[in-house]
């Protein structure tokens, strides 16, 4: 078993903790580091095997990392809330790729479940934002 799977599980749990605590920075940090990790692994696989699918997957998760860069900023407007919803939808779609195409992962049996969780968490955030259970910072 690849030891990186334990790191990935830890990053998934980090995002779960961020959601439970309703802490945006912790939530985003899990997605940020996870995206960088997948990017590194897939770029390495592309270099070693010249597999174009690995290059596609690498840049897809790099997009996730760019969207998830955790910044300490006030998110206090309706426009920003709409942007947060778009970002969360992007996280869901990116991770849904890992669920729909599990064979793109080096460990499809395990990472399929991790991608499932990482695809559902942003949808929960969207629900909480839309229902007012996550308050916009002032």
């Amino acid at each position: 078993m690849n030891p990186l799977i334990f790191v990935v599980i830890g990053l998934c749990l980090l995002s779960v903790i961020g959601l439970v605590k309703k802490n945006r920075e912790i939530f985003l940090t899990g997605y940020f580091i996870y995206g960088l990790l997948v990017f590194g692994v897939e770029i390495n696989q592309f270099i070693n095997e010249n597999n174009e699918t690995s290059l596609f997957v690498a840049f897809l998760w790099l997009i996730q990392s760019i969207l998830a860069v955790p910044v300490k900023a006030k998110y206090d407007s309706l426009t920003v809330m709409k942007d947060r919803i778009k970002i969360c939808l992007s996280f869901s779609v990116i991770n849904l790729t890992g669920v729909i195409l599990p064979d793109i992962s080096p460990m499809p049996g395990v990472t399929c479940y991790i991608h499932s969780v990482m695809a559902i968490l942003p949808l929960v955030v969207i629900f909480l934002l839309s229902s007012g259970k996550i308050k916009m910072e002032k």
Side-chain angles (χ1 to χ4, degrees):
M1 178 178 267
N2 190 336
L4 280 178
I5 199 68
F6 297 111
V7 175
V8 169
I9 291 170
L11 293 171
C12 184
L13 289 175
L14 183 66
S15 290
V16 169
I17 291 167
L19 177 62
V20 169
K21 290 187 167 195
K22 295 181 181 169
N23 185 309
R24 177 177 37 88
E25 287 87 12
I26 294 173
F27 178 79
L28 290 175
T29 299
Y31 280 89
F32 174 72
I33 298 171
Y34 181 62
L36 289 179
L37 180 69
V38 172
F39 175 75
V41 167
E42 293 295 332
I43 283 292
N44 188 43
Q45 189 168 349
F46 172 72
I47 291 168
N48 291 335
E49 299 174 10
N50 201 22
N51 181 354
E52 292 168 352
T53 303
S54 294
L55 185 63
F56 167 75
V57 171
F59 281 103
L60 187 61
W61 265 268
L62 182 61
I63 292 169
Q64 174 175 296
S65 287
I66 292 168
L67 290 172
V69 172
V71 290
K72 283 199 170 263
K74 295 292 183 192
Y75 280 46
D76 57 358
S77 74
L78 185 58
T79 303
V80 173
M81 185 175 87
K82 290 177 183 177
D83 290 342
R84 287 175 76 179
I85 290 172
K86 289 178 188 178
I87 289 170
C88 284
L89 281 174
S90 298
F91 291 160
S92 284
V93 170
I94 290 168
N95 283 284
L96 192 58
T97 304
V99 175
I100 295 171
L101 302 170
D103 294 333
I104 62 175
S105 169
M107 297 186 66
V110 178
T111 56
C112 183
Y113 294 112
I114 293 168
H115 285 298
S116 297
V117 171
M118 298 295 271
I120 292 170
L121 288 177
L123 298 176
V124 174
V125 170
I126 291 170
F127 171 75
L128 294 174
L129 277 170
S130 300
S131 66
K133 300 210 191 277
I134 293 179
K135 302 291 183 199
M136 298 299 287
E137 295 93 351
K138 296 289 182 197

